[in-house]
């Protein structure tokens, strides 16, 4: 059955939106992503943050930049993790004048057609709009049961112990207002994998930021391999438990 989903137009053309796309071995996915982003939001800037992928992703990024324009490549010497890639990407995008930074995976799990809905929420006052699998209308497709279970219960655990009213805090599809990123001092977030995804809304909400979740259908990657690791899950579990304990046991008053 065809899903009914609002396709909202981006209201303003003066808001500078930059999609920060971290890549590690995404040579089979990147071109399609770039094309779909430009169909969804024609004037979007794209910043590809590549960690010296051995499959030639950076060379493809350079070719796409020459063909399509308004595409930048931040080429880093080695694989340094997702959180670090986003911090470096946000920094560069903000220095270049972005008003809104988008997070999107390169593996086509996130549908670029959902982006106007995320951006419309930012334009209407949200500091962070999350493409969420776990609100009514959201879904996960082609994921094995154990990934689904881990993601669903990991999110329930984080929301429960942190008192964070976000259903999908590990989601990788987001739009941030740049002022909110700066106010929450995003560049001092130290987590790398899922911990990074959770720490960002956790900090933002503690500092009075407004989060909105927009339903999306997440589809497991068809090409390339997942970089999800047990280490990233363990890091997130440890950090969330530590933040919750710190908040409760020690009556932590300092801003997260
Ligand atoms: N620059 C950079 N990009 C990364 C790194 N690790 C992952 N990525 C990219 O980050 C995005 C998300 O990584 P995925 O491997 O899809 O991880 P995931 O989405 O959590 O896991 P799956 O659902 O199994 O795909 C993809 O675009 C990756 O290419 C990294 O260390 N550096
Ligand atoms: Mg993925």
């Amino acid at each position: 059955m065809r899903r009914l989903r609002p396709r909202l137009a981006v209201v303003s053309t003066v808001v500078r939106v930059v999609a920060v796309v971290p890549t590690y071995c995404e040579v089979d996915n990147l071109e399609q992503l770039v094309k779909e982003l430009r169909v969804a939001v024609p004037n979007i800037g794209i910043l590809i943050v590549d960690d010296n992928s051995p499959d030639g992703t950076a060379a493809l990024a350079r070719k796409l930049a020459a063909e399509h324009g308004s595409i930048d490549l931040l080429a880093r010497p080695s694989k340094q993790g997702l959180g670090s890639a986003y911090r470096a990407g946000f920094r560069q995008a903000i220095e270049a004048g972005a008003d809104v930074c988008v997070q999107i995976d390169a593996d086509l799990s996130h549908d670029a057609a959902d982006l106007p809905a995320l951006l419309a929420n930012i334009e209407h006052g949200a500091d962070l709009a999350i493409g969420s699998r776990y609100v009514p209308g959201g879904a996960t497709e082609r994921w094995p049961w154990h990934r689904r279970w881990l993601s669903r219960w990991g999110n329930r655990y984080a929301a429960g112990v942190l008192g964070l009213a976000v259903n999908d805090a590990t989601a990788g599809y987001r739009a941030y207002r740049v002022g909110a990123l700066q106010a929450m001092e995003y560049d001092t977030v130290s987590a790398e994998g899922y911990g990074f995804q959770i720490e960002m809304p956790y900090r933002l909400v503690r500092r009075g930021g407004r989060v909105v979740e927009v339903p999306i259908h997440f589809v497991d990657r068809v090409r390339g391999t997942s970089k999800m690791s047990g280490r990233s899950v363990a890091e997130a579990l440890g950090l969330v438990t530590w933040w919750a304990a710190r908040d409760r046991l020690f009556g932590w008053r300092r801003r997260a």
Side-chain angles (χ1 to χ4, degrees):
M1 194 176 71
R2 198 174 153 76
R3 185 165 43 117
L4 289 175
R5 193 172 44 186
R7 303 280 165 143
L8 301 171
V10 180
V11 186
S12 166
T13 50
V14 293
V15 172
R16 282 155 298 180
V17 180
V18 175
V20 179
V21 184
T23 55
Y24 193 75
C25 294
E26 301 291 0
V27 77
D28 294 326
N29 297 314
L30 189 60
E31 183 159 13
Q32 188 178 337
L33 177 74
V34 163
K35 287 180 176 163
E36 290 181 359
L37 277 171
R38 283 282 159 78
V39 169
V41 183
N43 58 349
I44 195 167
I46 300 173
L47 172 59
I48 296 159
V49 185
D50 185 71
D51 279 0
N52 205 8
S53 301
D55 70 346
T57 302
L60 173 62
R62 286 189 190 95
K63 178 175 106 53
L64 293 170
E67 285 171 9
H68 298 269
S70 292
I71 297 177
D72 291 304
L73 169 68
L74 174 53
R76 308 198 306 167
S78 60
K79 189 172 187 314
Q80 293 166 58
L82 191 66
S84 145
Y86 272 125
R87 284 187 292 273
F90 289 159
R91 196 174 310 124
Q92 181 162 321
I94 292 168
E95 278 169 13
D99 299 305
V100 178
C101 286
V102 169
Q103 270 188 224
I104 186 166
D105 288 357
D107 58 1
L108 306 174
S109 287
H110 302 138
D111 186 352
D114 291 321
L115 190 49
L118 293 181
L119 297 176
N121 276 280
I122 299 293
E123 295 225 8
H124 288 101
D127 295 304
L128 163 61
I130 298 180
S132 176
R133 300 160 287 185
Y134 306 129
V135 291
T140 303
E141 294 171 15
R142 298 187 63 252
W143 247 14
W145 71 267
H146 64 277
R147 287 295 306 270
R148 224 177 264 259
W149 187 92
L150 187 64
S151 173
R152 195 72 195 90
W153 283 98
N155 269 294
R156 283 187 176 131
Y157 176 72
V161 300
L162 296 175
L164 182 64
V166 173
N167 295 280
D168 194 354
T170 58
Y173 195 12
R174 304 165 175 210
Y176 285 96
R177 178 191 306 284
V178 160
L181 278 177
Q182 289 168 322
M184 66 183 276
E185 297 168 75
Y186 72 92
D187 48 344
T188 62
V189 169
S190 57
E192 281 306 338
Y194 292 119
F196 170 79
Q197 306 288 27
I198 300 169
E199 187 170 3
M200 295 288 284
Y202 172 60
R203 264 200 197 196
L204 188 131
V205 166
R206 284 177 65 111
R207 296 185 184 201
R210 187 167 162 241
V211 181
V212 171
E213 288 182 272
V214 175
I216 62 153
H217 281 215
F218 172 97
V219 184
D220 193 16
R221 65 161 73 238
V222 175
R223 296 185 292 261
T225 51
S226 170
K227 287 102 215 169
M228 206 276 289
S229 68
R231 205 171 119 189
S232 168
V233 175
E235 178 205 44
L237 185 64
L239 283 172
V240 166
T241 306
W242 156 241
W243 296 328
R246 183 191 66 187
D247 288 353
R248 285 170 198 194
L249 295 177
F250 308 126
W252 192 262
R253 287 285 173 267
R254 222 189 81 191
R255 297 193 306 176

